[in-house]
Amino acid sequence: MVNIAVLVKQVPDTNSKIQISGDRVDLSSVKMDISPYDEFAVENALLHKESSGGTVTAITVGSAGADKVLKGVKALGVDNIVRLDYDGFMDSNGLQSILAEEITAGGYDIVYCGKSAADTGAGSTGPGIAERLGWGSVSNATEVKFADGLTVSYPTEGGDAIVSVNLPAVVSCDKGSIKVRKSNVKGIMMAKRAQVDVKAVSPPSPSVTVVSQVMPPAKPAGKKFEGGSSAQTVAQLLRDEANII
Amino acid sequence: MTETIVIAELSKGEISITTNELVSAANLLGTNCTIVVPCADSTIADKAGKISGVSKVIAAKSTVFSNYDAAAWAEAIDSVAPAGIVVTAASAQSKDLAARLAARRSISVIQDVIAIEGGNLSTPIYSGKAIQNVSVSGNSVISVRANVFAPAEDSGNCEVQVIDTTGNVTTALKEMVQRASERLDVSEANIIISGGRGMGTPANFTHLEEIADKLGAAVGASRAAVDTWDEIPHSMQVGQTGKTVNPNLYIAVGISGAIQHLAGMRSSKYIVAINKDADAPIFQHADYGIVATWEDALPVLSSSLANLMA
Ligand SMILES: Cc1cc2nc3c(=O)[nH]c(=O)nc-3n(C[C@H](O)[C@H](O)[C@H](O)COP(=O)(O)OP(=O)(O)OC[C@H]3O[C@@H](n4cnc5c(N)ncnc54)[C@H](O)[C@@H]3O)c2cc1C
C-alpha cells in the first residue's frame, strides 16, 4: 500500500492572452485550468495506485477558486483533495516550506508533480521539496514504472537515463508517451459532492519582492517575402544581416 | 557587496562556454566570484581557472559527479561552496540542482533569469507572454538562461583548489539509452529547424535533416507533428509541453505558430518561418518570413546555404 501525493496547480489556460494593467498581470478575465504537466503527474499517481494499491491525495495551494482543479482530478479517480489555503505571493522558500510540512504530516511515500508550472515555468517545487524532506528526486520524468521498486526515465544530454529510485522520493513529470485519462459523468458527479480538506498555512515571510510585471519588449516587424525563390534572399540575410551563417 | 558562486556548466564532461556567461552574470550581482566545478576528475577544472573576472576556483571532486543524482550533487556542492548568491545555468539539470541548493540553504531560487538591471532580476512568466522583475533581499540561487550574457573572456589565471567532497546518492543508474540519431538535441543546439503538420508526412523530415546537417543544427517539431506521427518522438517537441529553446536561429517550416508552440521558441534570437499561408500567426514573430510551400522553398534554401558556406 503506497501513500501517494500529487501536487497540482491552477494556472491560466495556455491559450489565453496575458494582459497587463498597471504594473501587474491582470488575470481577472482569464480562464483558469490545471497546469499541463500536472496532468501527467496525476496520471502517474493513479497508475502507481492501480499497480501497487494505496491512496492518492491531490494537494494544491491557493484560494477557494483553485478548488475547481481539485474537483477535476477527483473526477479522474484521486481519493483525497487538500487545499493549503493561501491567497497572495509566496517565494519558492515559502511555498516549499508549507508543502514539505504538509507532506511530512500526511506521511506520504511518494510525491508526483509536474516538471514545471505553466505560469512561472520554474520547475523548482519538486526538487526543492525533496531537498527539504531529505528525499531523493528525479525531475522531467518521461516514463515511470512501478514493478520491483520505482524505475524512472528522463532525458539527459547523452540520451535517456533510466534510474531506480529509493522511496520516499519526489518525481516531477514531463509529457512522455502516456496518455492521460479523461473524466466520465459518474466521476464528475462524485467529484461535485466531494469535500475539499482546507488547511490554514503560515509561510515564512518572502525574501523575494515582485517589482513589476511587464509585456515582453515588442520585436521589430520582420521582413516577409513571397515565393520559394526568396529563400535565397533569406539565406543571404542570415549571413549579412544576422551574421549567423 | 555579496560574494557570488558560479556552478560550472558542463557539456560532454567539459566546462562549457555557458560557464563564462554565468561569470558575467555573477559579476553583475556581486563581487568575488568563486567557480565551483563538480567533477570526478579535477583536471577538467583547469579551464575554469582561465576565465577572467574570477577570484577563486574550487574543483569539487567526488565520484558522485560521475552520474547525475540531484540529492548527492546538491549535498556535495553545498559543502564546498561559500555562502552568497549562487549562479547556475538554466539547463534542465542545472535548474533541478539550483532548486535543490536553494532549498538546502533555506533561501529562494529564481529560475531562467534573462536580464539583470539595477539589482532587479527579470524572468519570463506565462511562457514568455510577460516578464516579471523581482528584487531579492539576502542570498539566493539564480539560474541564468544561455545566450543572454556575453561570455567572460578566457584571459584570467586563477589557481584551482581541489576539495574532496561527497554526498548521499538516492538514485541508481540502471541504463543509459543512447539517442537514436547522432544529431544534436534541440535543447543543446544553437540553430534549430523544426517541422510541423505542414510537412505532410514524417518522411519529409529528411528535407529538414539535410539542411540541419549543413548548419550543424538540431531538428525539432510541433506537437501536431509529434502527436500525428509515431516516427517523430516527443523529445523533438518544442513548446508548452515540449522543450523551451533559446537558439540563435529557429527555422519553423509548416508550423502555424500556435501560442503553445511560441511558448517554447519565442525568445530565439532570429526566427525564420516558411509557410504557405500568408496569414499564419508565425509570421508575426518571424524576422524573415517566406510565404511559400516548403516543397518550393527548402531546395532553394538548401542550395543557397551550400553556396554561402562553400
Ligand atoms: C495544453 C496544450 C499544450 C500544447 N503544447 C504544445 C507544444 O508543446 N508544442 C506545440 O507545437 N504545440 C502545442 N500545443 C498544440 C498547439 O496548440 C497547436 O495545435 C500545434 O502547435 C499546431 O502544430 P502545427 O503548427 O504543426 O500544425 P497546424 O496548426 O495544423 O499548422 C500547419 C501549418 O502548416 C502550413 N502548411 C501546410 N502545408 C504546407 C506546405 N506544403 N508548405 C508550407 N506550409 C504548409 C499551414 O499553412 C499551417 O500554418 C499545445 C496545445 C495545448 C492545448
Side-chain angles (χ1 to χ4, degrees), chain A residues 163-187:
Chain A
V163 297
S164 60
V165 186
N166 301 334
L167 295 191
V170 178
V171 177
S172 90
C173 303
D174 198 346
K175 187 182 170 212
S177 54
I178 53 166
K179 291 255 178 301
V180 302
R181 67 194 70 190
K182 299 269 176 267
S183 51
N184 55 28
V185 178
K186 192 172 150 232

Side-chain angles (χ1 to χ4, degrees), chain A residues 13-129:
Chain A
D13 183 311
T14 56
N15 268 315
S16 56
K17 229 181 136 155
I18 295 295
Q19 278 167 336
I20 304 280
S21 83
D23 57 3
R24 287 291 184 277
V25 165
D26 177 6
L27 298 179
S28 55
S29 54
V30 164
K31 188 178 152 234
M32 303 295 276
D33 204 348
I34 184 172
S35 183
Y37 294 114
D38 296 353
E39 299 191 62
F40 306 113
V42 171
E43 184 63 32
N44 278 318
L46 293 171
L47 290 172
H48 196 163
K49 175 187 160 177
E50 283 156 12
S51 143
S52 314
T55 52
V56 177
T57 304
I59 304 170
T60 197
V61 179
S63 54
D67 285 350
K68 191 183 132 207
V69 164
L70 290 174
K71 300 249 170 161
V73 299
K74 173 80 188 170
L76 295 173
V78 163
D79 300 291
N80 310 309
I81 46 181
V82 175
R83 176 165 58 82
L84 305 184
D85 187 36
Y86 199 80
D87 191 12
F89 174 74
M90 254 189 260
D91 61 9
S92 69
N93 186 47
L95 178 72
Q96 293 168 20
S97 303
I98 60 163
L99 281 169
E101 255 174 57
E102 178 62 21
I103 304 293
T104 305
Y108 297 103
D109 304 308
I110 180 155
V111 175
Y112 290 97
C113 63
K115 79 161 185 178
S116 62
D119 49 1
T120 67
S124 306
T125 306
I129 290 173

Side-chain angles (χ1 to χ4, degrees), chain A residues 232 235-236 239 245, chain B residues 214 299-310:
Chain A
Q232 192 186 349
Q236 196 74 43
R239 190 171 77 171
I245 288 156
Chain B
K214 282 201 177 78
V300 180
L301 184 65
S302 181
S303 63
S304 309
L305 289 172
N307 286 339
L308 287 172
M309 293 168 80

Side-chain angles (χ1 to χ4, degrees), chain B:
Chain B
M1 267 183 102
T2 324
E3 298 247 346
T4 59
I5 301 94
V6 163
I7 311 300
E9 181 72 356
L10 308 178
S11 174
K12 303 190 174 65
E14 300 272 330
I15 290 179
S16 77
I17 185 76
T18 307
T19 309
N20 297 52
E21 299 176 15
L22 301 181
V23 169
S24 300
N27 283 329
L28 293 173
L29 293 163
T31 49
N32 267 338
C33 176
T34 299
I35 302 185
V36 174
V37 185
C39 52
D41 165 7
S42 59
T43 57
I44 69 157
D46 292 348
K47 214 171 150 187
K50 305 214 162 51
I51 303 178
S52 314
V54 174
S55 48
K56 197 169 175 185
V57 175
I58 298 174
K61 187 166 172 265
S62 173
T63 51
V64 303
F65 295 126
S66 310
N67 289 311
Y68 185 66
D69 177 89
W73 279 49
E75 185 182 349
I77 290 172
D78 178 48
S79 69
V80 301
I85 298 176
V86 179
V87 181
T88 76
S91 58
Q93 181 178 307
S94 295
K95 283 177 69 174
D96 188 48
L97 180 66
R100 279 263 181 187
L101 281 171
R104 197 170 176 84
R105 295 183 167 193
S106 294
I107 53 182
S108 268
V109 56
I110 316 288
Q111 303 275 20
D112 294 301
V113 168
I114 52 167
I116 300 172
E117 249 181 69
N120 288 347
L121 306 168
S122 307
T123 62
I125 52 172
Y126 305 106
S127 312
K129 291 180 209 168
I131 309 286
Q132 175 161 282
N133 301 311
V134 302
S135 66
V136 187
S137 66
N139 292 334
S140 57
V141 180
I142 288 160
S143 71
V144 172
R145 285 255 178 108
N147 293 332
V148 172
F149 295 95
E153 281 177 30
D154 276 323
S155 53
N157 184 12
C158 190
E159 207 180 307
V160 177
Q161 185 189 356
V162 181
I163 304 182
D164 288 303
T165 176
T166 192
N168 201 359
V169 175
T170 57
T171 59
L173 184 66
K174 283 182 149 172
E175 197 185 339
M176 188 62 102
V177 184
Q178 298 300 324
R179 218 171 284 129
S181 93
E182 283 293 290
R183 209 163 276 114
L184 279 175
D185 187 76
V186 288
S187 56
E188 294 156 29
N190 256 322
I191 301 180
I192 297 169
I193 180 163
S194 288
R197 200 196 318 260
M199 293 306 293
T201 68
N204 286 332
F205 272 66
T206 51
H207 300 286
L208 305 177
E209 287 164 5
E210 186 197 315
I211 292 176
D213 289 342
K214 282 201 177 78
L215 295 171
V219 179
S222 72
R223 172 157 158 184
V226 171
D227 285 356
T228 315
W229 301 310
D230 289 342
E231 294 86 342
I232 312 292
H234 176 248
S235 59
M236 284 169 66
Q237 185 180 318
V238 171
Q240 189 87 52
T241 41
K243 292 187 173 126
T244 303
V245 298
N246 196 26
N248 277 326
L249 173 61
Y250 188 90
I251 308 176
V253 187
I255 292 179
S256 58
I259 205 157
Q260 294 93 350
H261 190 78
L262 293 168
M265 46 62 77
R266 66 192 302 155
S267 64
S268 306
K269 205 166 215 167
Y270 282 91
I271 296 171
V272 172
I274 300 174
N275 197 303
K276 68 175 183 185
D277 173 9
D279 296 324
I282 189 78
F283 284 124
Q284 290 162 25
H285 302 268
D287 298 276
Y288 306 124
I290 301 172
V291 184
T293 64
W294 62 262
E295 289 91 332
D296 284 346
L298 286 183
V300 180
L301 184 65
S302 181
S303 63
S304 309
L305 289 172
N307 286 339
L308 287 172
M309 293 168 80

